[in-house]
Every structure is written in structure tokens, then in C-alpha cells.
Amino acid sequence: MATSKLDERRLMSDEEFTLVEQTRYPVLGRLEDPALAELTRRLRERRDRARDIARRQRREVRGKGRQATTFEQQDAGNRQKARVLAEALTRINSERTHRKAEELRANARRAYAMRQEAETPARPDSGRSPRTGMRKNASHRRDRILNPMDAGRVLQAGKRAQAARDNA
């Protein structure tokens, strides 16, 4: 549940309140990345401190701390302060995610433009494809000189000629 600015002002010191005010959107959008990182670091430190104090106070109320505190002193707004600081950190993390996504989109647009501008390389023909149905495979054998039906006759004629030369 969101906390009103009046409650935030009441819960926090002036310095903490100015830190939380910087996480609201008109100001948050104008912050540069290094300033955003520094703001995140400072808010985390404050949140962790408020959370630790609230835990220690709850422990002391149960009687487990160094000294037991009374019920009136148990929570001097530290849990609420930690919650407000956590809300501020959530806003900052959302802004960082938004900026990262915008950067990735810009990179993708730039890569697409570079791809569109690039020349398409000349590619060789893809060769045979199955689009028009079955076709005869091209043969890599050398062409025959004779008709296959005459092969036996020619071979026999060669044998006879060789035998005649051998006997002569």
C-alpha cells in the first residue's frame, strides 16, 4: 500500500525525504545513470539500517535483546520507514529496467538498419530442388562411344585381332 507524502515526511529525516523525493517520476526520469546508481546505493543503506533497527527493537520487546524496551518504545516508525524506502527502491529498479529495455530496443533497431543497408552477397545457384517433381540425376560418367548393344561384338573383334597378331 502506498504511503502519503505527509506520512513519509513525518517518518523520515529531511535528508531521507529528499532522497525519496528524487525517486518520483518527473525527477527520476531526468537523473543520469551514475546519479541513479548513487541514489540506489544510498537508499539501500538507509533501508537496511531502518530494517535492522526495527528488527532489533522487536527482539528487545520480546526480551531477547541486551535490554528490554517498553511497549511504548517498541517501534519508533522504523518498520514504516523501511517500507517507504523499499517502495522508493522499487521505483528506481523499475526505472532501471525500463532504461535497459529501451537500450536493448535501440540496439535492435540499429542492428536491423545495418542489416538493411548491407549489400546482399552474390550467392551461387542452389542447384537441384524438388519443386518440379522427380528428374533424372546428371551422370558423371564419361560418354560411351558405342551403342551398348554393339559392345560384345566390338570386344570379340578386338580379341580376334590380337590373336591374329600373336600367331603371326
Side-chain angles (χ1 to χ4, degrees), residues 39-168:
L39 181 63
T40 303
R41 184 188 63 78
R42 291 171 65 192
L43 277 172
R44 281 187 181 140
E45 287 174 359
R46 299 296 172 107
R47 181 207 53 198
D48 292 345
R49 181 175 183 276
R51 186 186 58 205
D52 292 344
I53 290 171
R55 285 180 182 166
R56 189 182 72 231
Q57 287 174 342
R58 281 196 305 268
R59 184 174 165 82
E60 288 172 355
V61 166
R62 292 193 314 258
K64 295 188 174 195
R66 282 179 275 159
Q67 62 183 18
T69 53
T70 61
F71 184 73
E72 296 86 35
Q73 298 173 338
Q74 80 172 4
D75 191 8
N78 285 304
R79 274 193 299 184
Q80 289 91 351
K81 183 191 288 190
R83 190 180 74 231
V84 168
L85 293 169
E87 289 172 1
L89 281 169
T90 301
R91 288 191 293 270
I92 286 179
N93 290 336
S94 173
E95 176 67 17
R96 290 176 116 179
T97 302
H98 176 71
R99 287 182 184 189
K100 183 68 175 173
E102 186 59 38
E103 179 183 343
L104 291 174
R105 279 193 293 270
N107 286 344
R109 282 192 290 271
R110 191 168 47 252
Y112 183 69
M114 287 171 62
R115 186 172 181 173
Q116 292 294 334
E117 292 171 3
E119 293 181 17
T120 57
R123 293 193 173 108
D125 184 27
S126 63
R128 299 177 33 200
S129 65
R131 290 192 188 133
T132 57
M134 294 181 67
R135 277 180 256 138
K136 179 179 164 186
N137 285 342
S139 175
H140 298 292
R141 293 183 192 168
R142 61 186 180 96
D143 292 335
R144 291 189 180 132
I145 297 173
L146 298 174
N147 186 350
M149 292 177 8
D150 294 334
R153 183 183 55 79
V154 171
L155 285 174
Q156 193 62 40
K159 282 183 191 178
R160 283 189 193 124
Q162 185 65 41
R165 276 184 295 229
D166 290 342
N167 291 334

Side-chain angles (χ1 to χ4, degrees), residues 7-66:
D7 290 336
E8 288 177 0
R9 191 91 170 116
R10 181 181 53 81
L11 288 170
M12 294 185 278
S13 66
D14 291 336
E15 184 181 351
E16 291 170 338
F17 186 71
T18 56
L19 288 176
V20 171
E21 279 298 306
Q22 290 179 5
T23 65
R24 306 253 185 243
Y25 263 99
V27 179
L28 186 60
R30 291 189 296 253
L31 285 177
E32 298 294 324
D33 286 339
L36 193 64
E38 177 64 21
L39 181 63
T40 303
R41 184 188 63 78
R42 291 171 65 192
L43 277 172
R44 281 187 181 140
E45 287 174 359
R46 299 296 172 107
R47 181 207 53 198
D48 292 345
R49 181 175 183 276
R51 186 186 58 205
D52 292 344
I53 290 171
R55 285 180 182 166
R56 189 182 72 231
Q57 287 174 342
R58 281 196 305 268
R59 184 174 165 82
E60 288 172 355
V61 166
R62 292 193 314 258
K64 295 188 174 195
R66 282 179 275 159

